DNA sequence: AAACATGACAACCGCCGGGGA
DNA sequence: ATCCCCGGCGGTTGTCATGTT
């Protein structure tokens, strides 16, 4: 038994809004507000539209100070950074871009940014393959799972040493490893509570227009930090996974000072291919011989497929195999970049 | 010039969670 | 404590514009 429809589908108009409809809706809301009830609103003003449709039209188009198109490089960076960090939480991302709507950003991402990044990545791969002659296993592949027969735990690769990003200068908060770690924690309390004490300073991070940072927003969504971390300690040179409230993320553990450098590199060069492999699906995997790498771990390779979110359901993991199967591939290389000068 | 392909954006759909009854 | 309504969200589809053959 399905949910009752929010309106009488037979008697509502669908499709593009006419200027008259726009004018009606706009003038009414400007004068009276929404009245806290979108469902009833179209009837009040004599619009044959679904309440939800009115809401969407208002929020995405009629609302004052809405910007359309013309995304700047900086906005690109912000979107990419946040997507890498928090996944397809468009509303959170939109909150950091004044005048942009979640729908706009979502469309922009799906139609342009993703392809833009893909194009860059392909170029890079071609260049690399040309140089190498033979494609070989890359030790710094973020997806790399190396055999660790002793511990039977995934060995996450070390993040390659890369030059610091100019963006680092814009955001000193992100210049050190600790800040990155804090940020990742803040991104959802997705780590062992071992790190909880260092959360406080993160509130200093400023995002645009004085709104709460998405990181803070997300942290506030979190309920608790659980005690059953998955893979809570691997070793100091590995990416670490923690599981607290159901989300899983990767973190460079102490001793690695290169994580932020990678992030900086991604932002400064707009090369988001580090950490965005999941956009490329099978092709990407093939290109980097990830399939082979995966099987080198003694596991059958898994096509992780395209995923749109970094968020993931709770993991209750007792061994590596469980981790490997449950963990979104994004977790393996969750990287974060700061959205430029804000 | 027409047909087809592709891109960009608007809008819809259905699920989920919050909050009030 | 439960139910139900509504708003919010993300994924998907539809439509129109533009480019290409």
């Amino acid at each position: 038994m399905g949910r009752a429809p929010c309106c009488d589908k037979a008697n509502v108009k669908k499709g593009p809004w006419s200027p008259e409809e726009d004018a009606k809706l706009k003038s009414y809301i400007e004068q009276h507000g929404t009245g806290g009830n979108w469902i009833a609103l179209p009837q009040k003003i004599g619009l044959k539209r679904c309440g939800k449709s009115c809401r969407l039209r208002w929020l995405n188009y009629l609302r004052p100070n809405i910007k359309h198109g013309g995304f700047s490089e900086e906005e690109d960076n912000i979107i990419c950074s946040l997507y890498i960090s928090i996944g397809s939480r468009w509303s959170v991302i939109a909150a950091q871009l004044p005048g942009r709507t979640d729908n706009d950003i979502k469309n922009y991402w799906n139609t342009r940014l993703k392809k833009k990044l893909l194009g860059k990545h392909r170029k890079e791969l071609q260049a690399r393959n040309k140089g190498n002659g033979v494609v070989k296993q890359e030790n710094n592949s973020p997806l790399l799972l190396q055999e660790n027969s002793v511990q039977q735990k995934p060995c996450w690769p070390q993040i390659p040493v890369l030059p610091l990003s100019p963006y680092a200068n814009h955001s000193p908060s992100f210049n050190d490893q600790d800040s990155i770690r804090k940020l990742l924690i803040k991104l959802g309390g997705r780590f062992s509570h071992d790190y909880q004490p260092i959360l406080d300073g993160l509130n200093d991070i400023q995002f645009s227009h004085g709104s709460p940072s998405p990181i803070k927003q997300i942290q506030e969504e979190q309920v608790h930090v659980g005690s059953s971390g998955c893979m809570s300690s691997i070793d100091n040179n590995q990416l670490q996974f923690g599981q607290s409230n159901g989300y899983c993320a990767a973190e460079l553990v102490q001793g690695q000072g290169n994580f932020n450098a990678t992030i900086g590199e991604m932002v400064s060069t707009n090369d988001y291919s580090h950490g965005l492999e999941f956009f490329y699906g099978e092709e990407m995997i093939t290109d980097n011989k990830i399939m082979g790498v995966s099987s080198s771990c003694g596991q059958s390779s898994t096509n992780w497929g395209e995923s749109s979110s970094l968020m993931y359901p709770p993991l209750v993991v007792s061994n590596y195999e469980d981790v490997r199967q449950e963990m979104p591939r994004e977790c393996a290389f969750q990287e974060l970049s700061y959205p430029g000068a804000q």
Side-chain angles (χ1 to χ4, degrees), chain A residues 145-155 234-235 238 297:
Chain A
L145 295 176
Q146 292 173 323
E147 176 82 43
N148 186 334
S149 56
V150 177
Q151 298 185 326
Q152 277 304 298
K153 288 173 182 171
C155 296
I234 299 173
D235 70 51
Q238 309 302 333
C297 297

Side-chain angles (χ1 to χ4, degrees), chain A residues 147-216:
Chain A
E147 176 82 43
N148 186 334
S149 56
V150 177
Q151 298 185 326
Q152 277 304 298
K153 288 173 182 171
C155 296
W156 304 104
Q158 294 188 10
I159 302 297
V161 182
L162 293 167
L164 274 170
S165 157
Y167 277 93
N169 298 329
H170 298 235
S171 54
S173 303
F174 286 80
N175 270 347
D176 57 88
Q177 184 60 42
D178 198 43
S179 297
I180 298 297
R181 182 150 47 97
K182 286 178 188 174
L183 180 54
L184 284 167
I185 294 164
K186 197 86 173 179
L187 272 166
R190 289 176 279 180
F191 300 89
S192 159
H193 60 273
D194 295 343
Y195 297 113
Q196 195 63 20
I198 62 173
L199 282 175
D200 294 340
L202 211 72
N203 291 325
D204 300 336
I205 295 169
Q206 295 296 315
F207 272 76
S208 62
H209 61 86
S211 66
S213 76
I215 292 106
K216 182 166 188 192

Side-chain angles (χ1 to χ4, degrees), chain A residues 21 59 74 77 98 106 119 122 190 204 208 214 236 266 322:
Chain A
E21 288 175 313
L59 291 178
E74 187 186 354
N77 288 337
K106 181 172 57 181
R122 281 191 172 136
R190 289 176 279 180
D204 300 336
S208 62
N236 280 351
M266 285 172 64
D322 289 343

